[in-house]
């Protein structure tokens, strides 16, 4: 049983180490919209993800519409969209001044596989790329500027942790912790079992030594002082004068 437990513990440790490396990649490097935009800025370009601006045409926006930087195309009578930017920094630099206006003159939009995607769906797409190790954190880590905070404020955001108990949403971590807890319980159970067995064995041996000491002397006297016929004819009362009745009824004493 001890060898089986040791083997199982080794397997759990190996699995925990390998799963820990995978879990490190599963831990997303962003927790809110601001840090998410910082991550996009670090990445520069992400496969199949593009950015563009939407313009709701109003009075006084004619100059913006004529800006060749955006290459606007018309969707309907009042809605125009810019060209798609695969590079986050280029996209943001082109519209930063208009995004910071009060009210903002442009609205940011995301395209995943050339289809319009809302912020949460875009974040989920990037998160899947991260978990699949298709993208990584670059070596340089620029600080989050006020501009990215301002951009984040323009995006309706829902917290990434959708579950009240986030721990249970990560099945790999639950598996690792469950296995560790299982083997800890097994180890504690084995230790308690061995302690109980050892205690009982020690108690039995101590009682055996005690009862042997109680009968060896009196029994030797009986064998030397009485003949076989006298011993066979002894009544219970005679025996109890040699061996106390309360001790004579104990199992260990009855064996002698």
């Amino acid at each position: 049983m001890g060898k089986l437990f040791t083997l199982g513990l080794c397997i759990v440790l190996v699995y925990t180490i390998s799963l820990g490396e995978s879990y490190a990649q599963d831990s997303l490097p962003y927790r809110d919209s601001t840090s998410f935009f910082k991550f996009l800025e670090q990445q520069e370009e992400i496969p199949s993800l593009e950015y563009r601006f939407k313009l709701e045409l109003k009075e006084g926006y004619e100059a913006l519409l004529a800006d060749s930087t955006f290459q606007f195309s018309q969707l309907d009578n009042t809605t125009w969209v810019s060209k798609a930017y695969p590079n986050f920094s280029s996209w943001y630099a082109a519209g930063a001044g208009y995004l910071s206006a009060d009210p903002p003159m442009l609205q940011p939009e995301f395209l995943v596989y050339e289809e319009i995607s809302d912020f949460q769906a875009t974040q989920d797409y990037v998160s899947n790329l991260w978990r699949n190790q298709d993208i990584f954190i670059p070596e340089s880590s620029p600080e989050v500027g006020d501009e990215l905070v301002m951009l984040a404020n323009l995006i309706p955001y829902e917290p990434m942790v959708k579950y009240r108990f986030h721990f249970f949403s990560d099945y790999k971590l639950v598996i690792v912790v469950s296995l560790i807890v299982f083997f800890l319980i097994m180890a504690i159970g084995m230790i308690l079992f061995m302690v109980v067995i050892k205690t009982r064995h020690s108690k039995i041996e101590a009682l055996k030594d005690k009862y042997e000491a109680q009968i060896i002397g009196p029994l030797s006297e009986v064998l030397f002082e009485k003949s076989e016929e006298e011993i066979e004819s002894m009544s219970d009362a005679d025996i109890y004068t040699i061996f106390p009745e309360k001790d004579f009824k104990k199992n260990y004493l009855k064996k002698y």
Side-chain angles (χ1 to χ4, degrees):
M1 187 175 182
K3 292 183 178 179
L4 180 61
F5 173 77
T6 303
L7 177 61
L9 185 58
C10 291
I11 294 174
V12 170
L13 289 176
V14 172
Y15 182 74
T16 302
I17 293 172
S18 61
L19 203 55
E21 295 176 354
S22 174
Y23 181 72
Q25 184 68 13
D26 280 349
S27 301
L28 297 175
Y30 43 83
R31 290 295 179 185
D32 51 34
S33 53
T34 303
S35 58
F36 178 65
F37 287 131
K38 175 189 174 182
F39 180 77
L40 295 179
E41 185 180 50
Q42 290 177 273
Q43 294 296 317
E44 290 293 338
E45 294 186 12
I46 291 179
S48 301
L49 175 61
E50 294 178 310
Y51 318 89
R52 75 181 184 187
F53 298 104
K54 184 171 72 171
L55 170 63
E56 297 293 341
L57 190 59
K58 299 178 182 179
E59 185 178 353
Y61 283 18
E62 291 78 8
L64 172 57
L65 183 60
D67 191 335
S68 61
T69 303
F70 300 102
Q71 300 179 19
F72 283 109
S73 58
Q74 190 172 10
L75 289 183
D76 54 43
N77 292 335
T78 59
T79 305
W80 297 70
V81 293
S82 73
K83 68 176 183 179
Y85 294 79
N87 185 287
F88 178 89
S89 297
S90 299
W91 167 74
Y92 182 71
Y98 299 105
L99 291 171
S100 61
D102 188 16
M105 301 174 68
L106 295 175
Q107 299 176 29
E109 284 192 342
F110 306 94
L111 301 174
V112 176
Y113 294 107
E114 300 182 353
E115 296 291 334
I116 296 177
S117 175
D118 62 23
F119 178 76
Q120 187 61 53
T122 302
Q123 198 171 60
D124 291 341
Y125 170 73
V126 174
S127 299
N128 286 332
L129 292 178
W130 169 260
R131 292 190 179 97
N132 295 331
Q133 301 185 17
D134 293 324
I135 54 177
F136 299 88
I137 296 180
E139 293 183 1
S140 60
S141 300
E143 295 295 326
V144 177
D146 295 336
E147 297 82 1
L148 291 183
V149 175
M150 179 272 297
L151 177 60
N153 290 333
L154 297 177
I155 305 295
Y157 177 68
E158 297 180 0
M160 291 189 61
V161 181
K162 298 179 180 178
Y163 305 97
R164 183 176 180 182
F165 301 102
H166 181 61
F167 170 79
F168 295 102
S169 66
D170 193 323
Y171 71 93
K172 291 183 180 179
L173 182 60
V174 172
I175 292 174
V176 172
V177 173
S178 299
L179 288 174
I180 293 174
V181 171
F182 171 75
F183 278 95
L184 284 177
I185 293 175
M186 289 288 292
I188 294 173
M190 288 184 61
I191 293 173
L192 292 177
F193 178 77
M194 293 174 64
V195 169
V196 171
I197 295 299
K198 181 66 176 178
T199 301
R200 292 184 61 183
H201 181 73
S202 299
K203 183 177 180 180
I204 291 173
E205 290 298 321
L207 289 174
K208 187 175 180 179
D209 293 340
K210 176 182 177 181
Y211 294 147
E212 285 180 348
Q214 288 179 345
I215 67 172
I216 288 177
L219 184 61
S220 299
E221 292 180 4
V222 171
L223 293 175
F224 281 106
E225 293 177 0
K226 297 181 180 295
S227 64
E228 182 177 353
E229 292 77 9
E230 290 176 328
I231 294 175
E232 291 178 351
S233 62
M234 290 178 63
S235 64
D236 290 344
D238 295 332
I239 295 175
Y240 292 152
T241 59
I242 302 173
F243 305 106
E245 183 177 359
K246 62 182 182 64
D247 291 336
F248 186 82
K249 294 181 179 180
K250 294 179 180 179
N251 291 332
Y252 280 102
L253 192 59
K254 287 181 179 180
K255 294 180 181 179
Y256 297 93

